[in-house]
Amino acid sequence: MDEKYFPEAIEKKWQRRWNEIRAFEAKSDDPRPKFYCLEMLPYPSGFLHMGHVRNYSLGDALSWFKRLQGFNVLHPIGWDSFGQPAEQAAIKRGVNPREWTEQNIAHMRGQLQRLGISYDWSREIAAHRPDYYKWDQWFFLRMYERGLAYKKMSPVNWCPKEQTVLSNEQSSGGVCWRCGTAVEKRDLEQWFLRITEYAEQLVEQMKEIEADWPEKVLKRQRDWVGRSVGAYVDFAVKESDRKIRIFTTRIDTIYGATAIVLAAEHPLLGELLQESPMKKDVEAFARKVAAERASRKDPTEEEDKKGINTGVLAINPFSGESLPIWVANYVLMDYGTGAVMSVPAHDERDFEFAQKYSLPIRQVIAPVSHNQAAAEPQSTTGSDQSGVMPHAFTEYGVLINSDQWGGKTSEVAMSEMADHAEGKGFGGGAVTYRIRDWGVSRQRFWGAPVPIIYCESCGTVPEAYENLPVLLPDTADFSGTGQSPLTTVPEFVNTTCPQCKGAARRDTDTMDTFVDSSWYFFRYTDPRNELEPFDIAQAAEWTPVDQYIGGDSHAVMHLIYTRFWTKFMRDIGLVSFNEPVKKLLTQGMVTNRVEGTEEWKAMSKSLGNGVDPDDMIAAFGADAARLFILFAAPAENELRWSEAGVEGAIRFLRRVYTAVWQWRERLTNMPAGSWAPAAEEFGSGARALRRKTHQTIAKLTSDLEHLHLNTSVAALMELFNALSDFDIAPVEASDVDAFAVRETLEALVVMLAPFAPHASEEMWESLGHEGGLLNSAKWPLADAELARNEELEIPVQVNGKLRSRVIAAPDVSVEELRAAALADDKVRAFTEGHDIVKVIVVPQRLVNIVVR
RNA sequence: GCCGGAGUGGCGAAAUUGGUAUACGCACCAGACUCAAAAUCUGGCGUUCGCAAGGACAUGUCGGUUCGAGUCCGACCUCCGGCACCA
């Protein structure tokens, strides 16, 4: 230990030592309880940014804490190394994507090591390596076997800028998740994974994680799955044996239906129109709707409602009434059945549509008056004196004009009417979901090839398991036509059929990179397995993940895919649980002021407000930077970058370091063995210091468990301030005082390790523990007896206003406290001359005297 | 429009079950050290009235419950995020 704190030397020293002794490698045959701490794996862009630093500092703090507590901690890292940027580099600069990726990984690995994150490097994985993506292909084939991977021609989301398909999740809001470009629709043959098969489980099993995942992530997933309970009803087409099936959540309003409205793409439309004189007009309308939808600039903007009457009629199976069948742009083919019953009186969209086209509006639900005195029927029924409704009444109520259901409540009617429809065979209760199957085909080179072969005689054939991996060729022609570059590599395309051994062609698309990240953390448990994706027993030992940490940008992408994948793995017997992640923390963004403005925005090159982690380490050291990041704000909040804040962190480290330097000789020169003074030997100053120490241990132990790292650091600072207040020079300190100081410093240094591990190692060694924390340190235990306050300062209020404080013993009785408060001079100044109405005594906390 | 979340000093923030509002840090001010500056150390730091002791007012706004409200209830305002005709 040098006299001055030189982070550069200390950090290098300990990084080397950790590396030599493979300090953070998790062993699977360890009897201690396990803890799996995981951070979202990074894309190897080439450089870490501050968001990464924050993410990994959070995970590392928890890993250190759990390790010191005696857990067997798995803390792995890997690379989400397939994806667009490597391919962009190939297209723009002609570099080889594999080399580009490997160089980036090498550089970023160096950065992580300079940050001193305690990873188990022996388990490092990378998605672009054949020993990994082989298992992506294996999983694809397993899904194919079960009918969960299927191919269909479908309108897909197409990003014109990146020239590729996007999944629904990746084009949420109508824009590309990577570049923000408005997505277009294209018809392409694509592979899909049947995530819809798991829609119910994705919602239902959320209850297993509800308490430990952020509500905002759960909410977005719930909305994304979009579970909706209602009913199907078949409307017979008049003078035909065809039926139109509609989905509704409000079957109780069916007597108010005044039209059936179909989506422009509805498959029955052609047949319905065969004998219709309107055929040409309706088809022209449908084409116009499709064209408008394809060309819209802002896909989130709602269009004006437009429709056309087909002239064909349908029959309401409840009332027997004939209804016109319309086609309109506001009915979507990809939700429900692509057909709705239009109930203008009780649905805002239908209301708007009916007004525009003068369709009848018939009220069939009357509001329930909860408060008869205040009831103002005209304002709530939605109909004015003349019986014309000014707007739709969309709430539940009581049925009117509805045959035998008249007088029943909406709730009762919905259930009875669905049963009725089912009994009569024209419908029944139904649940629909908004979530769509996951399109995974990408017209890309840099991904895992889809392991499917097209044979002229056998058709679509899965590649044989023993032929996996289907290797990605070294390179391809990247000139870019919208087709996969793999089509330009004949050695890849041309193959033999695994069934008939005849000539065949490979699928030239690659898989969405979110396939790679859906199961990667299971691979960490057994990363070199050549026979299966992972050993079932190894995975069972480590998973589910105890704590997962990452950004919330993946709330409906990665985090929903990985839940789906886990349920599939459960169904094929690889794991035995439903949910892969017990606790999720979504960290906030790291922002910096945009120069010349008052705005704080996420660091980025284009805004010029980025901070390079390497510069930061060079200037302040990894420890100070990490300490600041964890201290400055709660983990979920936005973190505003502040160089002055980092300087504050390094000042704190320097002060602690200096204190250790000043005390180290005195503290290593103490009576031997397990010598400890008796309680009564400590002076009041030493007792106060020990009290603060044990209070701090208790606070840190609980705060770290909940990842309240900012308050943890504040508590460590308070503890250090208490040590400074115990103003004794090391040479003058008695053994008893030195004992108290040693207890404090040792606790402080160990508890600082999650935030500043290198400095803590150095200080721990200097306190006489050769080899550092990992050899000899344990998380300290709080002694409740020592932490207890010797006296209490009880606030005394008069009429709820703080007027004085009285000192009392911790075991003071209510009566004593009341007497002391009433006797206090400052209190008496406010009570004198008044009647004391009441005295409230909260034991050990507060006295409030109510006077009049 | 609908659905979430949040509003506390100059700034980041803290505050078990309703019980001392503003811990900890940043910035700022003063002092010590220094020829001087930086660094470091010490002290101060919600607003306001007061020489002081002390008082009054303060957790987005208004109202309520309570002996007591940052915390609970009601209405509203503002900001942030999500969704986008989902029948």
Side-chain angles (χ1 to χ4, degrees):
Chain A
M1 190 185 203
D2 292 319
E3 180 173 0
K4 289 264 156 53
Y5 173 55
F6 290 120
E8 211 184 318
I10 292 173
E11 289 175 8
K12 283 225 172 72
K13 168 183 164 184
W14 288 99
Q15 284 164 15
R16 200 177 307 120
R17 196 167 296 181
W18 291 335
N19 195 36
E20 278 162 13
I21 62 168
R22 300 165 159 239
F24 308 116
E25 290 186 11
K27 297 287 182 299
S28 59
D29 53 356
D30 194 308
R32 296 174 300 168
K34 71 94 185 178
F35 192 89
Y36 191 170
C37 178
L38 180 70
E39 297 116 45
M40 289 185 185
L41 90 173
Y43 176 79
S45 60
F47 304 91
L48 289 186
H49 54 68
M50 273 312 158
H52 291 127
V53 177
R54 188 179 199 189
N55 193 177
Y56 309 144
S57 299
L58 286 161
D60 208 36
L62 184 63
S63 297
W64 268 99
F65 171 58
K66 287 291 169 183
R67 246 187 331 262
L68 288 165
Q69 277 195 319
F71 285 83
N72 183 26
V73 173
L74 174 57
H75 189 213
I77 186 73
W79 308 97
D80 188 15
S81 45
F82 270 141
Q84 317 272 40
E87 195 152 339
Q88 289 303 319
I91 293 166
K92 291 200 181 117
R93 291 178 279 133
V95 299
N96 181 296
R98 185 171 289 107
E99 285 166 19
W100 184 86
T101 300
E102 289 291 354
Q103 279 168 14
N104 287 350
I105 288 175
H107 183 250
M108 290 173 80
R109 189 190 295 122
Q111 289 186 298
L112 288 174
Q113 286 167 344
R114 285 194 287 286
L115 271 173
I117 309 291
S118 64
Y119 288 128
D120 179 348
W121 288 101
S122 73
R123 293 171 187 260
E124 183 184 4
I125 58 175
H128 75 285
R129 296 187 188 139
D131 64 347
Y132 187 86
Y133 70 71
K134 173 182 181 177
W135 303 109
D136 290 335
Q137 295 170 337
W138 183 92
F139 276 117
F140 186 94
L141 293 179
R142 294 300 305 268
M143 289 201 189
Y144 181 81
E145 279 171 6
R146 295 199 152 211
L148 292 171
Y150 67 97
K151 196 173 197 188
K152 69 171 179 191
M153 181 65 93
S154 132
V156 294
N157 307 295
W158 177 265
C159 174
K161 187 169 169 208
E162 307 207 347
Q163 291 276 303
T164 191
V165 163
L166 299 170
S167 71
N168 293 315
E169 287 78 6
Q170 288 159 347
S171 50
S172 173
V175 294
C176 172
W177 71 289
R178 293 185 56 87
C179 64
T181 309
V183 297
E184 301 167 356
K185 290 284 180 189
R186 277 207 180 180
D187 281 324
L188 278 181
E189 246 207 329
Q190 297 286 300
W191 285 98
F192 287 86
L193 302 184
R194 226 181 273 281
I195 193 172
T196 52
E197 188 87 356
Y198 290 84
E200 181 61 31
Q201 293 184 42
L202 285 169
V203 179
E204 209 274 325
Q205 288 162 5
M206 261 184 215
K207 67 174 190 280
E208 296 178 23
I209 51 176
E210 235 158 32
D212 298 310
W213 277 43
E215 179 52 34
K216 67 176 169 181
V217 173
L218 295 171
K219 176 190 178 294
R220 285 187 61 187
Q221 292 208 358
R222 230 177 261 126
D223 290 352
W224 192 259
V225 176
R227 185 177 193 271
S228 182
V229 180
Y232 288 130
V233 181
D234 295 328
F235 284 66
V237 178
K238 209 164 186 180
E239 289 158 16
S240 153
D241 51 6
R242 298 190 183 89
K243 285 175 188 159
I244 295 172
R245 168 163 283 204
I246 62 103
F247 175 74
T248 179
T249 54
R250 290 298 302 274
I251 194 173
D252 58 313
T253 66
I254 197 164
Y255 281 85
T258 54
I260 292 295
V261 187
L262 306 184
E265 309 88 346
H266 199 283
L268 229 53
L269 203 50
E271 294 175 40
L272 290 180
L273 291 169
Q274 262 166 18
E275 297 106 48
S276 166
M278 297 290 295
K279 186 171 172 19
K280 282 214 168 104
D281 291 345
V282 175
E283 281 175 351
F285 174 82
R287 275 196 302 277
K288 206 174 107 205
V289 167
E292 277 176 5
R293 199 164 284 163
S295 68
R296 52 209 297 208
K297 282 177 238 71
D298 179 0
T300 63
E301 198 186 329
E302 205 167 287
E303 289 175 28
D304 286 341
K305 291 187 176 45
K306 283 183 205 143
I308 186 166
N309 190 339
T310 63
V312 183
L313 299 174
I315 296 163
N316 183 336
F318 276 81
S319 65
E321 187 183 10
S322 291
L323 306 174
I325 299 174
W326 285 64
V327 176
N329 64 341
Y330 77 97
V331 177
L332 308 175
M333 193 55 229
D334 57 8
Y335 182 76
T337 61
V340 303
M341 62 175 194
S342 179
V343 185
H346 305 292
D347 181 281
E348 275 162 26
R349 294 152 301 180
D350 295 339
F351 185 84
E352 192 187 330
F353 190 70
Q355 287 214 310
K356 179 162 177 183
Y357 291 100
S358 305
L359 295 168
I361 298 173
R362 188 192 308 141
Q363 187 177 349
V364 292
I365 306 288
V368 183
S369 176
H370 293 290
N371 180 346
Q372 301 214 327
E376 239 185 284
Q378 298 310 340
S379 68
T380 47
T381 57
S383 60
D384 61 20
Q385 302 289 351
S386 61
V388 178
M389 298 176 79
H391 54 81
F393 174 71
T394 57
E395 285 159 48
Y396 288 170
V398 175
L399 277 69
I400 55 174
N401 304 323
S402 301
D403 289 350
Q404 72 261 43
W405 286 282
K408 297 200 161 158
T409 64
S410 292
E411 290 87 342
V412 169
M414 284 195 292
S415 149
E416 288 186 10
M417 291 168 104
D419 290 348
H420 175 78
E422 194 173 351
K424 299 275 183 179
F426 59 75
V431 178
T432 61
Y433 302 91
R434 204 185 71 132
I435 192 170
R436 298 281 79 111
D437 279 337
W438 175 14
V440 292
S441 294
R442 296 291 179 274
Q443 294 65 50
R444 284 287 163 193
F445 171 80
W446 196 231
V450 173
I452 292 290
I453 289 163
Y454 304 105
C455 168
E456 279 190 25
S457 37
C458 311
T460 300
V461 181
E463 180 58 282
Y465 283 102
E466 60 268 27
N467 293 341
L468 298 182
V470 176
L471 281 173
L472 201 58
D474 269 343
T475 187
D477 178 1
F478 292 103
S479 47
T481 58
Q483 283 218 311
S484 168
L486 286 174
T487 56
T488 69
V489 186
E491 314 84 273
F492 177 82
V493 176
N494 299 318
T495 186
T496 50
C497 170
Q499 273 175 26
C500 70
K501 310 298 174 198
R505 297 170 58 79
R506 287 193 187 282
D507 193 304
T508 53
D509 285 349
T510 53
M511 288 185 237
D512 184 359
T513 58
F514 280 91
V515 168
D516 314 333
S517 54
S518 289
W519 64 280
Y520 74 100
F521 47 90
F522 291 93
R523 183 71 179 171
Y524 284 139
T525 66
D526 189 17
R528 307 291 168 245
N529 197 323
E530 292 180 4
L531 302 174
E532 43 188 0
F534 50 83
D535 176 63
I536 292 174
Q538 286 291 322
E541 185 177 335
W542 291 106
T543 59
V545 170
D546 291 285
Q547 177 73 58
Y548 199 17
I549 306 172
D552 64 6
S553 56
H554 290 298
V556 291
M557 294 193 287
H558 166 58
L559 288 170
I560 208 160
Y561 295 141
T562 195
R563 292 183 61 225
F564 155 60
W565 210 274
T566 301
K567 294 172 202 308
F568 170 69
M569 292 197 295
R570 176 205 60 202
D571 290 349
I572 60 172
L574 295 183
V575 301
S576 60
F577 44 79
N578 298 320
E579 294 294 336
V581 171
K582 285 191 194 163
K583 290 177 85 170
L584 175 69
L585 174 80
T586 51
Q587 49 157 359
M589 282 194 312
V590 183
T591 63
N592 199 2
R593 193 191 291 271
V594 181
E595 207 167 326
T597 74
E598 286 299 303
E599 284 186 301
W600 291 82
K601 293 207 168 145
M603 291 186 179
S604 83
K605 271 199 193 110
S606 56
L607 289 172
N609 65 343
V611 176
D612 180 356
D614 283 323
D615 293 347
M616 183 191 74
I617 293 170
F620 307 105
D623 280 339
R626 292 171 55 173
L627 181 66
F628 165 71
I629 283 173
L630 299 176
F631 170 59
E636 308 76 21
N637 284 23
E638 172 190 336
L639 173 76
R640 294 189 166 191
W641 186 254
S642 154
E643 212 156 277
V646 189
E647 279 162 14
I650 203 171
R651 263 199 295 271
F652 172 65
L653 289 178
R654 218 180 268 140
R655 279 196 282 255
V656 178
Y657 186 94
T658 302
V660 170
W661 169 263
Q662 287 166 346
W663 278 95
R664 78 194 192 294
E665 259 189 57
R666 179 67 187 85
L667 298 185
T668 46
N669 182 20
M670 300 256 298
S674 55
W675 171 80
E680 60 274 15
E681 293 180 64
F682 291 95
S684 70
R687 284 205 308 277
L689 181 61
R690 300 191 75 196
R691 191 180 314 130
K692 186 69 176 175
T693 297
H694 286 272
Q695 287 171 347
T696 305
I697 294 169
K699 177 164 176 62
L700 267 275
T701 308
S702 133
D703 276 5
L704 274 162
E705 193 68 49
H706 300 104
L707 287 169
H708 295 160
L709 304 183
N710 56 326
T711 51
S712 293
V713 177
L716 290 176
M717 289 172 167
E718 282 189 57
L719 178 58
F720 182 75
N721 292 344
L723 176 66
S724 305
D725 291 343
F726 185 59
D727 199 10
I728 286 182
V731 284
E732 290 161 12
S734 67
D735 280 346
V736 173
D737 285 342
F739 179 92
V741 169
R742 186 172 67 183
E743 181 180 52
T744 298
L745 271 179
E746 290 198 336
L748 182 59
V749 165
V750 173
M751 292 191 292
L752 190 59
F755 309 93
H758 312 85
S760 296
E761 288 276 24
E762 183 73 13
M763 291 188 281
W764 186 251
E765 188 179 57
S766 302
L767 288 169
H769 307 284
E770 200 47 52
L773 292 160
L774 294 157
N775 275 359
S776 54
K778 289 205 171 51
W779 190 257
L781 283 174
D783 182 325
E785 191 59 37
L786 291 171
R788 181 173 321 148
N789 286 314
E790 291 177 7
E791 56 187 26
L792 301 174
E793 195 187 62
I794 307 289
V796 183
Q797 301 178 333
V798 179
N799 286 350
K801 291 197 178 192
L802 179 69
R803 295 302 183 189
S804 184
R805 297 178 173 89
V806 296
I807 304 297
D811 57 352
V812 65
S813 72
V814 167
E815 290 71 25
E816 286 167 327
L817 205 48
R818 171 202 297 259
L822 288 169
D824 184 83
D825 285 345
K826 288 184 197 149
V827 171
R828 286 177 60 186
F830 287 91
T831 53
E832 213 96 306
H834 293 87
D835 290 340
I836 293 173
V837 179
K838 199 198 258 188
V839 179
I840 288 131
V841 181
V842 184
Q844 308 192 357
R845 283 223 85 131
L846 164 141
V847 180
N848 188 16
I849 301 162
V850 185
V851 302
R852 193 167 41 201

